[in-house]
Amino acid sequence: MRFPTVTPAVYRRLALATLASLVFIMVTGAGVRLTGSGLGCSTWPTCHAESFTPRGASDTHGMVEWVNRLITGAVMLLTVAAVLGARWREPFRQDLFRLSLGLPAWVFANALVGALVVWAHLSPVSVIGHFLLSLGAVANATVLYERAAHGPAADVPPAERRWRATPPVVAAGRLLVVAASLVILTGTLVTGSGPHAGDDRADRLDLPVHTIVRFHGIAMVLFLALTVAVVRMAHKGDAAPVVVDRLHQLLVVLIAQAALGYWQYFTGVPALLVAFHVLGAALVWIAVVRVWLSLAVPADEMTGEAVAVNRATMGAW
């Protein structure tokens, strides 16, 4: 039996579609909580003890949760398609295939955590874990999408890696990933302490929500200030154009996300704005990952001569 072949261009579009679906399921998952439907299906994998599906059209919360589960199944199928696409891609690339295997693994693990969320009656810690696993899947898909744009990855030791920016910018790029992680983690604590529990019966984190919001806001301001500083460094010629472009993208989504956060805070945290804030968190995370990936010269662009020269000029781009 002859399997179909997938061109590099088609595979990159498939990787992009998979990434978009992983972001989409984050937003629909937030929608379940924001509509109070977190326990709309009281069991897992069935919706109710006596029924695999919701009880009917009148079971609104159950229908919302059930549709989200169906979307999760569709996302899983798309991640499997990404694996098959990597296997059938011509020319075949082992690095893309290995990366693609992580996608269904992330989604399956998150489905199990989703079951734990139901069994734990929307415990805030389980919900936070659910969200962080989703971001792990998004990061995996982002790396796959970026790698698919280049040739085969060579086994280049870290000491021989070439950079598209000066050492201070590379170091600042690492700090951007740390700052983004801190903002996301404090944001999950705000969510776990705030009003949108997903169900009236769900517990909240025993934390003073206004204090946690303040810490989250400070983390966001520091993240934004660091991003602006790195952009200024890049504009002075300390980074290649592709890095500057990625930094601009990060700055735009970060400003939009900060504005949205303050808007929702001062308007009583309306559910719709929270949903957009979840989308913004995913976009900020993608932008940060893409900035980091842009800092290193892809292995396929490094000639043997360039690798040898770089031993004496580590950090040059």
Side-chain angles (χ1 to χ4, degrees), residues 5 7 35 69 80 83 128 147 165 172 174 184 188 277 280 306 314:
T5 58
T7 66
T35 57
R69 292 184 184 184
V80 171
V83 173
I128 289 172
R147 288 275 184 87
R174 293 189 179 96
I184 289 170
T188 63
H277 204 52
M314 180 183 174

Side-chain angles (χ1 to χ4, degrees), residues 25 28 67-77 107 110-111 130:
I25 193 63
T28 62
V67 169
N68 187 63
R69 292 184 184 184
L70 292 178
I71 294 173
T72 301
V75 172
M76 172 61 86
L77 291 176
V107 175
N110 215 5
H130 202 36

Side-chain angles (χ1 to χ4, degrees), residues 180-191:
S181 301
L182 180 62
V183 169
I184 289 170
L185 286 173
T186 56
T188 63
L189 295 179
V190 172
T191 299

Side-chain angles (χ1 to χ4, degrees), residues 32-207:
V32 171
R33 178 170 54 83
L34 295 170
T35 57
S37 304
L39 294 177
C41 286
S42 56
T43 61
W44 190 95
T46 62
C47 189
H48 300 291
E50 74 285 356
S51 173
F52 190 75
T53 59
R55 297 187 179 98
S58 60
D59 186 9
T60 306
H61 290 319
M63 191 63 69
V64 170
E65 167 62 8
W66 180 249
V67 169
N68 187 63
R69 292 184 184 184
L70 292 178
I71 294 173
T72 301
V75 172
M76 172 61 86
L77 291 176
L78 197 51
T79 62
V80 171
V83 173
L84 295 176
R87 186 66 188 85
W88 297 335
R89 183 185 183 276
E90 290 292 345
F92 173 73
R93 280 179 50 186
Q94 187 68 40
D95 60 320
L96 295 183
F97 183 64
R98 286 197 302 266
L99 277 170
S100 69
L101 290 174
L103 297 177
W106 280 108
V107 175
F108 181 72
N110 215 5
L112 295 180
V113 173
L116 177 62
V117 169
V118 174
W119 295 334
H121 300 288
L122 304 182
S123 159
V125 174
S126 66
V127 174
I128 289 172
H130 202 36
F131 180 76
L132 294 180
L133 278 174
S134 296
L135 287 179
V138 166
N140 190 155
T142 302
V143 174
L144 179 66
Y145 173 71
E146 290 293 318
R147 288 275 184 87
H150 301 285
D155 186 17
V156 180
E160 297 181 347
R161 188 173 298 158
R162 291 185 65 208
W163 300 97
R164 289 185 174 127
T166 58
V169 174
V170 173
R174 293 189 179 96
L175 288 178
L176 285 175
V177 176
V178 173
S181 301
L182 180 62
V183 169
I184 289 170
L185 286 173
T186 56
T188 63
L189 295 179
V190 172
T191 299
S193 309
H196 297 293
D199 189 277
D200 293 338
R201 297 163 288 178
D203 293 330
R204 300 280 76 200
L205 291 175
D206 188 18
L207 297 171

Side-chain angles (χ1 to χ4, degrees), residues 219-300:
M220 173 59 88
V221 170
L222 292 176
F223 184 20
L224 181 58
L226 177 61
T227 303
V228 171
V230 180
V231 168
R232 292 191 64 182
M233 292 167 65
H235 272 274
K236 291 179 180 178
D238 290 352
V242 64
V243 179
V244 176
D245 184 55
R246 297 287 177 85
L247 285 167
H248 285 168
Q249 293 171 20
L250 171 60
L251 186 60
V252 169
V253 295
L254 192 53
I255 290 173
Q257 178 74 337
L260 189 57
Y262 282 108
W263 184 12
Q264 70 176 13
Y265 177 74
F266 289 113
T267 54
V269 201
L272 182 61
L273 291 185
V274 175
F276 278 108
H277 204 52
V278 169
L279 172 62
L283 296 180
V284 167
W285 184 237
I286 291 171
V288 168
V289 172
R290 294 184 78 227
V291 166
W292 174 248
L293 293 175
S294 72
L295 288 170
V297 176
D300 63 298

